[in-house]
Amino acid sequence: MNTFKKQMINKVPEVTIFFWIIKIMATTVGETAADFLNENLHLGLTNTTYTMGILLVIVLFLQFKASRYIPILYWTTVLLISVVGTLVTDNLTDHFGVPLEISNIVFSVLLALTFFIWFVKEKTLSIHSIFTRKREVFYWLAILFTFALGTAAGDFIAESLHMGYLKSALMFAVAIGIVTVAYYRFKLHAVLSFWIAYILTRPLGASVGDYLSQPHHAGGLGLGTMGTSAIFLLVILSLVIYLTKTKKDQVPFIHEK
């Protein structure tokens, strides 16, 4: 007799090197694509926000409706939530005059509250257990706040503190390296390590995106938002196609007794 009541499939990918590569590139595209739509295509911040917000709602609906992890759907959701997270911070700064220091505090509090409520309700923050609707809601809400917080932190350090994009990127890269060493060498808790690294990859990606796309006089390499977005999107698409075919980031079935 089968002792399992039901079989469920995790809705997110396994954390591999591919996960982190695509994540960092997605955060870079979130920064450059938002600037490209807003400034280069002259949609303006408001129209860009509405357009990307509608697209995100549609893709999130499809993501929630799916019964399993689908690479192209999952990473499209991440890309769009990256753009929207950037736009949330940009709107607060440009339209409402909220200082970046305040945005950092607000999003830190919102993210902490999300984690707290998630843990109280589900007793875990592990991404290896995203196989219920409630956990998926908490997961995507946390990701949205990490993107918004990362944008605010990256802009604050690079611009408000005048560190520049390259130095900011190197600083966040070093911070991620420290977390990695702490996890592998000193056995830092896996879930805590993951979320710290996840938060830090956002300002890292944003700083890299700004460094590549901004003109020379602004401290960048001058590749432009369109060129930077196109290059990174092509690499992301190639990796997603590879993962779809090889299933290297598929999580094994999870059974509930």
Side-chain angles (χ1 to χ4, degrees):
M1 180 177 177
N2 191 349
T3 59
F4 297 107
K5 289 183 180 179
K6 57 182 177 179
Q7 186 180 62
M8 297 174 289
I9 304 175
N10 202 28
K11 295 285 293 291
V12 302
E14 184 62 87
V15 180
T16 65
I17 185 62
F18 299 107
F19 177 94
W20 292 115
I21 292 173
I22 299 175
K23 167 60 169 63
I24 293 172
M25 287 190 167
T27 63
T28 301
V29 172
E31 185 75 16
T32 57
D35 291 342
F36 174 71
L37 294 170
N38 178 21
E39 300 171 6
N40 296 68
L41 293 188
H42 308 293
L43 291 181
L45 191 54
T46 300
N47 290 333
T48 300
T49 302
Y50 287 149
T51 301
M52 301 311 293
I54 291 171
L55 287 175
L56 176 59
V57 169
I58 294 171
V59 174
L60 270 176
F61 172 78
L62 297 175
Q63 171 67 24
F64 277 105
K65 191 175 180 181
S67 60
R68 60 186 177 84
Y69 163 63
I70 303 172
I72 188 65
L73 181 57
Y74 174 86
W75 287 111
T76 298
T77 307
V78 171
L79 278 169
L80 288 173
I81 211 166
S82 174
V83 175
V84 170
T86 298
L87 291 169
V88 168
T89 299
D90 288 346
N91 273 283
L92 288 175
T93 303
D94 297 342
H95 280 175
F96 299 100
V98 178
L100 289 170
E101 299 93 321
I102 301 300
S103 295
N104 277 290
I105 294 172
V106 169
F107 290 126
S108 294
V109 171
L110 289 174
L111 181 59
L113 282 174
T114 300
F115 282 142
F116 175 75
I117 297 172
W118 182 358
F119 187 78
V120 168
K121 294 288 186 181
E122 301 297 315
K123 309 305 179 187
T124 180
L125 299 178
S126 172
I127 69 163
H128 295 110
S129 63
I130 310 300
F131 47 70
T132 68
R133 183 61 55 82
K134 185 185 296 184
R135 291 182 183 183
E136 196 172 9
V137 169
F138 282 125
Y139 176 78
W140 289 112
L141 192 60
I143 286 179
L144 175 62
F145 289 141
T146 63
F147 279 123
L149 173 60
T151 300
D155 289 348
F156 176 72
I157 291 174
E159 299 172 9
S160 299
L161 296 184
H162 307 292
M163 281 193 64
Y165 303 122
L166 180 58
K167 289 182 180 179
S168 296
L170 291 174
M171 184 190 76
F172 288 116
V174 169
I176 292 171
I178 292 173
V179 174
T180 303
V181 172
Y183 171 67
Y184 284 106
R185 180 67 178 84
F186 301 104
K187 308 302 180 185
L188 181 64
H189 193 277
V191 175
L192 178 61
S193 301
F194 170 83
W195 284 112
I196 292 175
Y198 199 97
I199 292 169
L200 289 172
T201 55
R202 179 60 182 97
L204 170 62
S207 298
V208 169
D210 284 332
Y211 178 66
L212 293 174
S213 63
Q214 294 303 308
H216 295 287
H217 66 80
L221 292 181
L223 297 181
T225 53
M226 186 172 116
T228 303
S229 298
I231 292 170
F232 278 62
L233 281 173
L234 181 60
V235 176
I236 290 172
L237 179 60
S238 300
L239 289 175
V240 169
I241 291 173
Y242 171 75
L243 292 173
T244 301
K245 289 181 176 296
T246 63
K247 303 186 184 302
K248 286 185 177 292
D249 64 341
Q250 298 283 339
V251 179
F253 286 119
I254 297 174
H255 301 278
E256 181 183 66
K257 292 185 178 180

